[in-house]
Amino acid sequence: SAGMRLRLAVRSIEAWLMADSEKLGGFLAIDRSLLAARPESVPDPKLELVNLARRSRKREIREDMVPEEGVASKVGARYAARLIEFTSRHWRPDVAAARSDSLARCIRVLKEWGRK
């Protein structure tokens, strides 16, 4: 279709979220220096985000995002809910785009598409 556009995150959406290190560090209650300088180069961004949550000073973040011992899941039971909370209330896509080439391209294409 002429009006269809398809954009894919390089690794996963978590890489785009980690690109806003200031806000994600605050949300997870971790030192933002723990976040990768180049989030799109992280081999497994979902695992990286879970591991960052393990280091959170907030028990609720750890309980929600980190899987329980012995559970087969790679993420905690409220992982998706926490990501939705972060993206809807804190994440700044324009700031994150400065550290994420694929996100910057996505935003640029969406803005161009919106002008047509």
Side-chain angles (χ1 to χ4, degrees):
S1 167
M4 183 178 165
R5 300 292 185 268
L6 175 66
R7 302 300 298 186
L8 302 173
V10 170
R11 294 259 184 222
S12 66
I13 196 70
E14 285 85 354
W16 287 0
L17 302 181
M18 288 189 291
D20 187 354
S21 60
E22 179 183 354
K23 290 295 185 177
L24 185 60
F27 180 76
L28 294 177
I30 60 170
D31 189 319
R32 70 185 241 198
S33 68
L34 296 172
L35 286 128
R38 296 177 52 226
E40 291 180 329
S41 68
V42 173
D44 187 342
K46 185 179 302 259
L47 177 61
E48 180 74 8
L49 193 51
V50 169
N51 285 336
L52 290 167
R54 283 182 208 285
R55 300 180 75 167
S56 177
R57 293 183 298 274
K58 293 181 180 176
R59 179 182 48 83
E60 302 85 17
I61 291 289
R62 293 189 308 270
E63 289 176 352
D64 290 350
M65 297 184 71
V66 178
E68 294 180 27
E69 286 282 324
V71 174
S73 177
K74 294 181 180 184
V75 299
R78 294 194 28 83
Y79 178 85
R82 285 294 186 164
L83 291 190
I84 291 168
E85 176 187 353
F86 174 69
T87 57
S88 62
R89 296 184 184 169
H90 307 284
W91 187 55
R92 302 168 300 172
D94 291 334
V95 170
R99 296 182 58 224
S100 171
D101 291 337
S102 67
L103 178 59
R105 289 191 308 271
C106 179
I107 290 171
R108 185 176 60 250
V109 168
L110 289 173
K111 285 180 179 178
E112 290 170 5
W113 188 38
R115 286 186 219 126
K116 293 181 180 181

